[in-house]
Amino acid sequence: MRLLGVGMCAAALLVGLAVAPAQADTGAGDTPGAGLRGVGWALKATGKEARFRGLAAVSRSTAWVAGTKGTVLRTGDGGRSWQDVSPPGAVAEGLELRDIEAFDARRAVALSIGEGEASRVLRTEDGGATWTETFRNPDPRAFYDCLTFLDARHGLAMSDPVDGKFRILATDDGGRSWRVLPDAGMPVALPGEAAFAASGQCLVASGPRDVWLATGGGPVARVLHSSDRGLTWRAADSTVPAGDPARGVFALAFRDRTTGLAVGGDYRAGQASPQAAARTADAGRGWSRAATPPPAYRSGAAWFPYGRSTALAVGPTGTDVTTDAGRTWRTLDAGSYDTVDCTADGGCWAAGEKGRVARLEVLGRPGR
């Protein structure tokens, strides 16, 4: 990806993030006055009803989304049009595509979730014209949740615990082949502990070797960190409440190898989600509560590319923004989104239910 100068558009975005609330995305179910002045999610019609929990933002112009019934879409013009590039086999079998990682407009790797053979990895090198299945889970005890890449060659996927430990799948050739890593360096899972396949962000990476895994469902919600591409891991308790199969950390976002955010809560509609965000400044060894957390469950998070302390969190009841590295959060938008992703050139995208995809824009200015 190209790193562009800040420019007028980026400057306007930063100004918008610092001022009082005003109207933003007002799609179905949204409330006026929920965004920040001049900046908000601009919905991009996809023509689909799939729920898109997988999102890979390549740039302001190019993004991929993956979701229910094997659906994969790709845009190269900032969301003005979408190409249906769904893998035929995934559509035929109705696979749940919950994560997608893209290297550019032509190369992407998608993960379908589920028990046993429902967990698969698919890869394309031609913009989705053709797909190759590069992994099919042979173990009925495994359930793969999330996928991440550290660079164009090295990637990992993770499964809920098998024989008492989270299982890690690795590739060294860009997703063409996969192998299960030994679990000797993986801590024992807590009773009931698992990961949430809610946004493709329960497993995230920063840099060439560091990766983090988010958990919930157990007595405490933990974050596991590996600094050697998944061979050994160290677990730390987060401050996000758990103690129930529906509660825990749902998404992580790391600005670099030390500074990170965790968001989550209780995904059940109508259930309170206090203390649903946490932050770390030491690679996840210790976590601190947000002084003012998001008001409800959040399933996705991403760092905003301009400004080292600004990030977004999304969930079914809205989007929140922090401008102080996760210490305090405030509402940006009331629209429903499951996942969010930002790129170095200022492209922030969000996706969710009923085919909803949006890009963060200076409202009233034509999208570019």
Side-chain angles (χ1 to χ4, degrees):
M1 294 178 287
R2 292 183 299 142
L3 182 60
L4 303 182
V6 173
M8 292 182 61
C9 183
L13 283 172
L14 284 174
V15 170
L17 289 171
V19 296
Q23 185 169 344
D25 170 7
T26 54
D30 302 346
T31 57
L36 293 177
R37 185 177 302 135
V39 181
W41 292 119
L43 286 167
K44 308 295 181 181
T46 63
K48 301 292 184 179
E49 290 293 318
R51 187 164 196 164
F52 294 121
R53 295 184 184 269
L55 168 65
V58 176
S59 67
R60 279 186 56 79
S61 60
T62 301
W64 302 65
V65 290
T68 53
K69 300 180 180 179
T71 308
V72 178
L73 306 182
R74 178 175 60 85
T75 183
D77 57 12
R80 288 190 292 272
S81 64
W82 294 87
Q83 184 178 2
D84 189 333
V85 294
S86 304
V91 175
E93 296 189 52
L95 296 182
E96 288 281 335
L97 299 177
R98 294 290 183 93
D99 201 352
I100 188 165
E101 302 291 326
F103 307 112
D104 49 40
R106 298 186 60 79
R107 298 176 298 156
V109 180
L111 173 73
S112 74
I113 68 159
E115 296 177 348
E117 292 190 352
S119 286
R120 305 177 195 179
V121 178
L122 306 170
R123 187 179 190 276
T124 182
E125 295 183 350
D126 54 14
T130 61
W131 292 84
T132 300
E133 182 181 297
T134 59
F135 173 77
R136 182 179 297 206
N137 172 38
D139 191 337
R141 302 170 299 169
F143 185 114
Y144 285 86
D145 298 285
C146 286
L147 171 74
T148 192
F149 274 84
L150 297 94
D151 54 40
R153 292 176 51 210
H154 300 96
L156 300 173
M158 58 77 59
S159 164
D160 289 335
V162 176
D163 293 330
K165 293 184 177 182
F166 286 95
R167 176 170 289 181
I168 302 297
L169 193 67
T171 180
D172 297 326
D173 55 14
R176 294 178 179 86
S177 63
W178 298 83
R179 69 189 188 283
V180 174
L181 295 182
D183 67 1
M186 175 66 71
V188 174
L190 302 176
E193 190 175 31
F196 296 105
S199 62
Q201 295 176 323
C202 59
L203 185 71
V204 301
S206 181
R209 304 189 67 83
D210 289 274
V211 61
W212 294 263
L213 188 162
T215 82
V220 296
R222 302 195 295 175
V223 177
L224 282 62
H225 172 225
S226 171
S227 58
D228 56 11
R229 294 179 183 156
L231 292 175
T232 60
W233 298 79
R234 174 184 291 182
D237 293 353
S238 79
T239 61
V240 176
D244 184 278
R247 294 201 295 260
V249 176
F250 281 71
L252 299 167
F254 273 78
R255 188 186 67 200
D256 49 42
R257 69 178 309 271
T258 59
T259 308
L261 302 170
V263 299
D266 190 320
Y267 72 79
R268 294 171 295 190
Q271 294 296 310
S273 291
Q275 303 163 18
R279 58 190 176 88
T280 182
D282 59 8
R285 289 189 293 273
W287 292 86
S288 301
R289 296 177 180 176
T292 306
Y297 156 70
R298 296 293 180 253
S299 55
W303 288 93
F304 189 68
Y306 303 126
R308 290 179 58 79
S309 299
T310 302
L312 300 162
V314 301
T317 62
T319 298
D320 303 293
V321 62
T322 177
T323 56
D324 55 15
R327 292 174 179 83
T328 60
W329 296 82
R330 52 183 172 170
T331 300
L332 172 72
D333 182 278
S336 175
Y337 298 101
D338 293 311
T339 187
V340 59
D341 194 18
C342 296
T343 64
D345 69 348
C348 283
W349 297 79
E353 63 180 341
K354 298 180 180 179
R356 285 171 63 94
V357 181
R359 191 178 69 171
L360 196 67
E361 296 180 2
V362 179
L363 299 181
R365 202 178 276 190
R368 292 181 291 145

